């Protein structure tokens, strides 16, 4: 249910047993011809099985090699990328001038990966002493790296005098199994000397199924590709299958041949020495267990295995979708992975706040452009037609900004919320929050008074009415009893605003959805303040559910942070996965969520 699996099978274990019994140190062809030849054959099988471009076949300039881990593979490919880049950029130089140019170039080189890339790319850059920059991803793009985001970072690097030389793109990110936009990336990098490696450690196994093989269409534009048989294809660790379009770039970067390693077969250039394809010298006979697995299950068996897990993931996602009151699916379920967060139950006081907020937005839609009319000296008056009895700040300013929410600075304190001038608010009733982290929408000048920028948006006065008082207050003034039954932006009566049916909780359950004012492209600052509060509230509930489930030990969950939000990951790609276990896991999550939410 938690981490990406590390499955095994009897054929894999037998292959491991036999390879261990042989006790070979297969660092070159002469030491173990069969070990080398079987690895070449098996890797060519996989190129065809995954429908990879034919440029990755050993019969062309490419080829495949089995590494111990994706981290090891990325490091080797980054070394090859560095050496190719330095060679190409200094090809016109020689001698001392070439060495000096290489030294200066190394200081400016930068490796790239998306914010969702695995940490192995950043670690490889760290090992090589190379700068690293990440490319932003967003929920709007399903956390995939896009061509536009890549182009923006490339331009930023060039403006800073940096030289990008390497990029990791991903097929199935660790956090959400997102797939980067390979076609866009290829278009942006066309004609540039940037090595692109595609990391498909987990989700690459799905390429065995025809319905996923369209994802390989653009891989021929890139330099290398890796996936891990030990993540999902019934082969025990370690079995990372790496493919390269031009093997000479790798061997030229990593070849060192002292006298004690020279032999006639290697010197002839007619055999493969895999010691030149990676960091280690000695190598294990990893190809044997892959050969056992593929020969035992066949391509059809592996397809059925993967498709069953994807179906299990869909079953779990459908269960989660059946309880929108408890769970939110954060990203589209993919490759048997479902990413969720807990939906906090909305206190009645917050529902009233949102109700007034929604009605104020409705009023703005009914009026053609009330904000513009006010700015031009119009006299129209507008009401919220809402009731915020328990929401008005005690002795605080009763401001409404067009969405029915105070424009004053909102600062979270240990007891709840206060306005910019330090006056407390009953918003503390909405739930306890972590101490010491302030929230503010920066709409005040620090004295509880609204900022003035020439826009009437910040300069309105408001009328407060209750059963005992009908005094008028300006922004920044306190209300004696801290209670307001009705709020207006002027003198109009409540009944002047018609009702438009609207769900006040719709934006609450989707914090990324904002209400915009009719005359502006900017999102309301009050919306932002509420959304920040809701995000933290959801994060707290999600983390508490996560901690309780793992503490009790019935199932194991993993978590991550995406887009600044704490989420839970549920993976169904386990050899022992059955639908009854997925349903049981869902029941545990439901029970725990209801316990936390109360």
């Amino acid at each position: 249910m938690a981490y990406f699996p590390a499955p095994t099978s009897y054929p894999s274990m037998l292959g491991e047993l036999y390879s261990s019994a042989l006790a070979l140190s297969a660092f070159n062809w002469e030491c173990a011809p069969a070990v080398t030849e079987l690895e070449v054959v098996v890797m060519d099988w996989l190129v065809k099985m995954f429908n990879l471009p034919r440029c990755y076949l050993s019969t062309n300039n490419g080829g495949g090699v089995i590494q111990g881990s994706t981290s090891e593979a990325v490091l080797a490919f980054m070394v090859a990328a560095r050496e190719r880049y330095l060679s190409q950029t200094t090809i016109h130089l020689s001698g001392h001038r070439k060495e000096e140019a290489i030294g200066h170039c190394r200081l400016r080189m930068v490796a790239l990966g998306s914010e969702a890339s695995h940490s192995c790319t950043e670690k490889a850059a760290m090992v090589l002493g190379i700068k690293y920059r990440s490319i932003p991803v967003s929920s709007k793009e399903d956390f995939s790296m896009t061509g536009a985001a890549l182009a923006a970072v490339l331009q930023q690097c060039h403006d800073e005098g940096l030289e990008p030389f390497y990029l990791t793109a991903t097929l199935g990110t660790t956090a959400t199994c997102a797939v980067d936009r390979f076609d866009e990336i290829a278009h942006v990098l066309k004609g540039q000397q940037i090595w692109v490696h595609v990391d498909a450690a987990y989700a690459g196994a799905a390429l065995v199924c025809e319905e996923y093989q369209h994802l390989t269409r653009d891989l021929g534009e890139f330099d290398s590709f890796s996936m891990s048989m030990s993540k999902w294809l019934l082969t025990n660790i370690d079995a990372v299958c790496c493919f390269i379009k031009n093997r000479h770039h790798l061997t030229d970067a990593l070849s060192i041949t002292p006298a004690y390693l020279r032999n006639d077969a290697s010197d002839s250039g007619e055999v493969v020495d895999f010691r030149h394809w990676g960091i280690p010298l000695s190598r294990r006979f990893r190809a044997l267990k892959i050969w056992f697995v593929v020969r035992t299950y066949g391509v059809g068996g592996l397809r059925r295995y993967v498709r069953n897990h994807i179906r299990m993931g869909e079953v779990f996602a459908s269960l989660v979708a059946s309880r929108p009151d408890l769970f939110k699916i954060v990203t589209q379920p993919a490759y048997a992975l479902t990413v969720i967060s807990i939906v906090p139950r909305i206190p009645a006081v917050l529902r009233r706040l949102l109700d007034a907020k929604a009605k104020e937005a409705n009023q703005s839609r009914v009026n053609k452009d009330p904000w513009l009319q006010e700015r031009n000296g119009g006299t129209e008056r507008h009401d919220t037609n809402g009731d915020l009895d328990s929401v008005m700040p005690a002795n605080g300013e009763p401001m409404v900004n067009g969405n029915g929410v105070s424009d004053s600075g909102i600062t979270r304190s240990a007891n709840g919320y206060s306005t910019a001038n330090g006056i407390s608010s009953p918003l503390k009733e909405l739930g306890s929050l972590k101490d010491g982290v302030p929230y503010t929408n920066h709409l005040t000048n620090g004295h509880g008074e609204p900022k003035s920028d020439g826009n009437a948006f910040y300069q309105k006065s408001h009328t407060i009415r209750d059963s005992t008082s009908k005094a008028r207050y300006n922004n920044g003034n306190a209300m004696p009893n801290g209670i307001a039954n009705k709020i207006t932006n002027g003198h109009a009566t409540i009944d002047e605003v018609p009702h438009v049916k609207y769900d006040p909780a719709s934006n609450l359950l989707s914090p990324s959805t904002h209400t915009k004012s009719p005359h502006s492209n900017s999102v309301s600052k009050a919306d932002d303040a509420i959304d920040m509060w809701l995000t933290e509230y959801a994060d707290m509930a999600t983390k508490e559910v996560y901690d309780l489930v793992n503490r009790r030990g019935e199932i194991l969950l993993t978590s991550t942070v995406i887009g600044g939000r704490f989420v839970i990951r549920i993976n169904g790609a386990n050899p022992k996965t059955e639908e009854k276990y997925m349903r049981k896991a869902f029941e545990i999550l439901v029970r725990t969520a209801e316990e936390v939410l109360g």
Side-chain angles (χ1 to χ4, degrees):
M1 295 299 295
Y3 299 100
F4 289 133
T8 189
S9 60
Y10 286 117
S12 177
M13 287 186 282
L14 286 174
E16 191 74 71
L17 180 63
Y18 278 114
S19 65
S20 298
L22 292 174
L24 297 170
S25 181
F27 54 82
N28 62 17
W29 184 90
E30 187 177 60
C31 286
V35 173
T36 301
E37 295 295 338
L38 185 61
E39 186 161 338
V40 171
V41 169
V42 165
M43 296 305 285
D44 281 350
W45 281 1
L46 297 184
V47 168
K48 298 171 184 177
M49 190 169 79
F50 297 139
N51 192 40
L52 297 178
R54 294 304 183 255
C55 60
Y56 291 113
L57 287 170
S58 64
T59 52
N60 296 315
N61 288 328
V65 60
I66 306 173
Q67 303 282 18
S69 68
T70 300
S71 297
E72 181 182 332
V74 168
L75 178 60
F77 286 134
M78 192 177 290
V79 170
R82 181 191 64 188
E83 296 308 306
R84 185 184 73 172
Y85 184 82
L86 291 173
S87 175
Q88 290 174 342
T89 54
T90 61
I91 194 170
H92 59 291
L93 302 173
S94 61
H96 178 71
R97 291 182 62 195
K98 186 181 183 74
E99 291 180 3
E100 192 174 70
I102 288 175
H104 286 299
C105 190
R106 283 175 182 264
L107 297 176
R108 298 191 300 270
M109 295 174 71
V110 58
L112 305 176
S114 84
E115 289 179 342
S117 294
H118 191 273
S119 60
C120 62
T121 300
E122 186 173 2
K123 177 175 278 190
M126 184 191 307
V127 170
L128 296 178
I130 289 172
K131 297 177 178 65
Y132 176 80
R133 290 288 175 87
S134 60
I135 298 159
V137 296
S138 70
S139 58
K140 294 179 181 178
E141 305 294 346
D142 294 326
F143 300 102
S144 300
M145 178 169 56
T146 65
L150 171 60
V153 172
L154 289 176
Q155 184 60 52
Q156 181 183 2
C157 289
H158 292 151
D159 292 344
E160 296 176 11
L162 301 177
E163 300 181 24
F165 76 101
Y166 173 94
L167 169 71
T168 293
T170 309
L171 195 164
T173 59
T174 303
T176 65
C177 272
V179 177
D180 291 339
R181 309 286 178 80
F182 298 142
D183 56 340
E184 297 178 14
I185 293 169
H187 178 73
V188 169
L189 297 181
K190 191 171 184 179
Q192 300 199 44
Q193 299 175 0
I194 297 179
W195 183 296
V196 180
H197 172 70
V198 177
D199 174 14
Y202 167 70
L207 296 177
V208 73
C209 304
E210 298 95 330
E211 58 267 32
Y212 291 99
Q213 291 180 352
H214 66 280
L215 297 172
T216 67
R217 182 177 58 248
D218 297 294
L219 298 186
E221 302 294 325
F222 304 144
D223 298 279
S224 54
F225 173 89
S226 65
M227 61 79 56
S228 180
M229 292 284 290
S230 56
K231 290 287 188 184
W232 200 359
L233 287 181
L234 294 167
T235 307
N236 60 287
I237 293 174
D238 48 353
V240 176
C241 301
C242 305
F243 305 89
I244 189 168
K245 185 163 67 173
N246 189 334
R247 58 181 176 268
H248 299 294
H249 292 148
L250 191 59
T251 57
D252 289 349
L254 296 172
S255 293
I256 296 179
T257 306
Y260 53 81
L261 291 178
R262 288 195 176 278
N263 62 84
D264 291 340
S266 298
D267 291 343
S268 71
E270 296 179 358
V271 299
V272 175
D273 286 344
F274 279 120
R275 69 184 179 87
H276 299 310
W277 291 56
I279 307 300
L281 176 63
S282 299
R283 306 181 72 253
R284 300 176 62 245
F285 191 6
R286 300 185 182 103
L288 188 59
K289 60 187 175 186
I290 298 177
W291 186 84
F292 270 48
V293 168
V294 174
R295 293 284 292 176
T296 301
Y297 292 98
V299 176
L302 294 175
R303 285 173 179 166
R304 288 190 294 273
Y305 179 75
V306 169
R307 284 169 178 157
N308 179 59
H309 286 161
I310 291 173
R311 186 180 69 84
M312 290 295 100
E314 291 170 349
V315 167
F316 186 84
S318 67
L319 292 172
V320 172
S322 70
R323 292 299 305 269
D325 58 317
L326 293 177
F327 307 110
K328 177 181 178 180
I329 298 178
V330 178
T331 61
Q332 184 70 24
Y335 306 101
L337 178 70
T338 306
V339 182
I340 67 171
S341 64
I342 304 301
V343 175
R345 287 181 174 158
I346 313 168
V349 62
L350 185 55
R351 282 195 178 277
R352 288 198 293 274
L353 177 67
L354 291 176
D355 185 50
K357 180 173 181 279
K359 290 172 182 176
E360 183 72 12
N362 289 337
Q363 173 197 310
S364 297
R365 289 192 290 271
V366 171
N367 295 281
K368 184 176 181 181
D369 194 335
W371 302 100
L372 184 58
Q373 292 169 3
E374 287 193 12
R375 189 178 298 113
N376 292 337
T379 57
E380 289 192 14
R381 302 286 189 251
H382 311 290
D383 267 300
T384 63
N385 198 22
D387 189 347
L388 300 179
D389 298 59
S390 302
V391 180
M392 291 304 300
N395 297 324
E397 59 176 8
M399 298 197 305
V400 175
N401 66 4
N403 286 320
V405 184
S406 172
D407 276 340
S408 61
I410 302 174
T411 304
R412 190 184 59 195
S413 65
N415 296 323
Y417 282 81
S418 65
T419 57
N421 58 11
I423 301 173
S424 63
S425 164
L427 279 174
K428 63 186 179 182
E429 298 174 22
L430 303 185
S432 61
L433 298 166
K434 297 176 183 177
D435 296 343
V437 184
Y439 275 159
T440 177
N441 60 7
H442 306 293
L443 292 183
T444 66
N445 60 11
H447 302 288
E449 301 171 1
K451 293 179 180 178
S452 176
D453 63 354
N455 189 327
F457 179 86
Y458 298 106
Q459 301 174 11
K460 294 185 194 149
S461 60
H462 308 280
T463 299
I464 303 168
R465 292 177 285 186
D466 61 19
S467 58
T468 60
S469 173
K470 294 186 178 181
R472 175 170 176 158
Y473 297 87
N474 291 321
N475 294 351
N477 295 332
M479 180 176 181
N481 58 12
I483 301 297
N485 290 335
K486 308 294 180 186
I487 306 174
T488 70
N489 290 341
H491 303 289
T493 62
I494 303 299
D495 296 334
E496 293 177 13
V497 181
H499 286 271
V500 179
K501 188 174 182 181
Y502 184 81
D503 178 12
S506 61
N507 283 351
L508 173 68
L509 298 180
S510 299
S512 62
T513 303
H514 301 275
T515 302
K516 296 184 179 181
S517 60
H519 68 288
S520 171
N521 291 325
S522 62
V523 178
S524 163
K525 296 297 183 182
D527 279 349
D528 290 344
I530 289 179
D531 287 347
M532 285 190 294
W533 184 86
L534 292 173
T535 297
E536 179 171 356
Y537 191 4
D539 283 355
M540 291 173 61
T542 304
K543 192 174 189 309
E544 188 168 353
V545 169
Y546 167 80
D547 289 339
L548 276 176
V549 169
N550 283 349
R551 192 180 309 137
R552 290 165 179 169
E554 294 178 87
I555 57 175
L556 175 64
L557 302 175
T558 57
S559 65
T560 189
V561 176
I562 56 172
R565 300 181 61 188
F566 185 91
V567 296
I568 294 172
R569 301 167 66 258
I570 299 96
N571 183 271
N574 188 289
K576 300 296 184 181
T577 298
E578 296 180 29
E579 186 170 333
K580 63 181 180 181
Y581 298 136
M582 301 300 287
R583 293 184 179 277
K584 178 64 175 177
F586 176 70
E587 291 171 3
I588 292 170
L589 281 170
V590 168
R591 184 173 68 243
T592 309
E594 289 180 335
E595 176 185 345
V596 167
L597 296 176

